[in-house]
């Protein structure tokens, strides 16, 4: 049996791929004393990935190409940079790394692109530096970086509680087909939560406690039936995202108008995920949304998808 970790490290480069996500359900509670909102969410990873290639360097360096690359910082504020620095500190590593990030997940789109970068960077640096941390240990470090980072490591489907970082794997059968309506300009997550706080319905008396994901959601996932799943999609932040970006409401309405079973804002937006009954229908819905010109870009993806993983080097035939 081959040893992919050793081969990649010996070759001087490690290539890791991590998925973006959508929130099938996102319930939000009133802001706590620590400044955070309690959440109850269902994450599902989708087939839209961030690629991170780690190579040896004297210091931690970041370069970015791909979708909306110009909007991504390459300094210490980059979440992948922070991930590498955190791993180095935790393991006593004094070496550097160059992280080449190729973006496919939209920036500030509510799909966890930066979190996927961080998860990929954690795994890539762990393999490159041969620190040998278990996935559980990487998960603990991931939680220090942000609520969505642990899920980008695990992928598939999971319930998220607390700040979204307390994960419980969830069973989902079958494959779901989505049409993503993307916006070139992202939304600030803190601004969306602040807008939600200001909504009349966002008061503590209007939010049930504790927040829970309903059994109907879990049954829909287990059934693998997109029609059942369509009936439980919800995002409490949708109204706030639409208030800040009215085009979000247009994308939601247009998606259903052209045949989607349902449409939901992912995370804090502005990305809209429209659920299709099958792949053929997804292609038709995508074409109709492009014709309406309600989004800057329209993509077709599937879910669930695996979490951060090593991409094997191409082997030359002998």
């Amino acid at each position: 049996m081959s040893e992919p970790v050793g081969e990649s490290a010996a070759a001087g480069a490690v290539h890791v791929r991590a998925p973006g996500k959508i929130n099938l359900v996102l319930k939000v509670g009133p802001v706590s004393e620590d400044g955070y909102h309690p959440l109850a969410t269902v994450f599902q990873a989708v087939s839209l990935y961030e690629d991170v290639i780690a190579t040896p360097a004297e210091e931690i360096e970041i370069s970015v190409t791909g979708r909306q690359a110009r909007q991504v910082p390459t300094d210490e504020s980059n979440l992948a940079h922070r991930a590498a620095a955190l791993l180095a500190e935790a393991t006593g590593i004094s070496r550097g790394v160059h992280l080449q990030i190729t973006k496919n997940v939209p920036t500030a789109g509510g799909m966890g692109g930066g979190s996927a970068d961080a998860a990929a960077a954690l795994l890539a640096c762990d393999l490159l530096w041969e620190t040998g941390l278990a996935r559980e240990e990487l998960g603990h470090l991931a939680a220090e970086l942000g609520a969505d980072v642990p899920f980008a490591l695990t992928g598939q489907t999971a319930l998220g509680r607390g700040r979204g970082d307390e994960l419980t794997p969830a069973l989902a059968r079958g494959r779901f087909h989505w049409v993503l309506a993307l916006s070139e300009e992202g939304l600030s997550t803190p601004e969306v939560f602040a807008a939600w706080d200001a909504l009349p319905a966002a008061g503590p008396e209007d939010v049930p406690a504790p927040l829970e994901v309903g059994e109907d959601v879990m049954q829909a996932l287990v059934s693998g039936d997109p029609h059942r799943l369509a009936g439980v999609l919800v995002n409490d932040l949708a109204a706030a995202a639409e208030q800040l970006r009215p085009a979000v409401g247009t994308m939601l309405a247009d998606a259903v108008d052209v045949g989607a079973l349902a449409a939901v804002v992912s995370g804090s937006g502005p990305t809209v995920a429209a659920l299709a009954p099958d792949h053929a229908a997804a292609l038709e819905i995508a074409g109709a949304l492009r014709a309406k010109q309600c989004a800057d870009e329209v993509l077709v993806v599937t879910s669930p998808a695996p979490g951060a993983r090593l991409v094997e080097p191409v082997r030359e035939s002998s």
Side-chain angles (χ1 to χ4, degrees):
M1 179 177 290
S2 64
E3 297 287 345
V5 174
E7 283 185 358
S8 295
V14 175
H15 181 184
V16 171
R17 179 168 291 160
K21 57 82 181 174
I22 53 178
N23 298 80
L24 307 181
V25 172
L26 179 54
K27 297 183 178 181
V28 182
V31 64
S32 305
E33 292 182 359
D34 62 4
Y36 289 91
H37 296 77
L39 305 175
T41 188
V42 177
F43 295 111
Q44 195 159 71
V46 298
S47 58
L48 190 65
Y49 304 100
E50 301 283 88
D51 284 282
V52 174
I53 297 177
T55 52
E58 293 185 3
E59 299 179 349
I60 298 175
E61 304 168 350
I62 303 286
S63 58
V64 184
T65 59
R67 179 174 282 116
Q68 299 169 314
R70 293 182 180 179
Q71 300 179 27
V72 180
T74 57
D75 59 13
E76 294 180 0
S77 66
N78 184 289
L79 203 55
H81 189 294
R82 290 169 53 195
L86 179 63
L87 179 64
E89 179 182 5
T91 57
I93 293 293
S94 58
R95 285 171 282 168
V97 64
H98 180 268
L99 298 173
Q100 170 61 54
I101 300 171
T102 301
K103 294 199 64 64
N104 289 294
V105 179
T107 300
M111 292 189 66
S115 297
D117 294 338
L122 278 176
L123 181 55
C125 290
D126 174 64
L127 296 175
L128 182 72
W129 294 336
E130 298 180 327
T131 54
L133 295 187
R135 278 283 180 139
E136 183 179 0
E137 294 173 295
L138 289 177
H140 291 318
L141 294 178
E144 295 185 37
L145 294 164
D148 291 346
V149 183
F151 177 71
L153 271 178
T154 62
Q156 302 297 344
T157 307
L159 302 181
R161 296 183 177 88
R163 299 178 186 177
D165 58 342
E166 299 172 14
L167 297 179
T168 304
L171 177 62
R173 290 195 173 95
R175 185 169 299 277
F176 297 103
H177 300 269
W178 302 88
V179 178
L180 303 180
L182 309 184
S183 301
E184 184 66 26
E185 183 182 357
L187 276 174
S188 162
T189 297
E191 288 182 9
V192 174
F193 273 100
W196 184 84
D197 288 334
L199 291 174
E205 68 280 1
D206 298 302
V207 180
L211 293 173
E212 294 290 346
V213 173
E215 184 61 29
D216 55 342
V217 178
M218 309 314 299
Q219 291 175 354
L221 287 168
V222 170
S223 75
D225 182 352
H227 294 84
R228 291 186 65 176
L229 186 62
V232 298
L233 299 179
V234 65
N235 184 341
D236 286 351
L237 294 178
E242 185 176 348
Q243 183 181 76
L244 294 171
R245 188 73 53 76
V248 169
T250 301
M251 291 188 290
L252 287 168
D254 283 351
V256 175
D257 184 55
V258 299
L261 299 176
V264 66
V265 176
S266 183
S268 56
T271 299
V272 167
L275 181 59
D278 53 40
H279 181 64
L283 294 176
E284 292 181 4
I285 292 166
L289 284 180
R290 292 186 186 105
K292 281 182 171 289
Q293 299 183 336
C294 61
D296 292 317
E297 190 174 3
V298 178
L299 302 174
V300 174
V301 299
T302 59
S303 69
R309 65 196 191 280
L310 177 69
V311 177
E312 294 274 9
V314 178
R315 298 178 182 274
E316 295 183 3
S317 58
S318 56

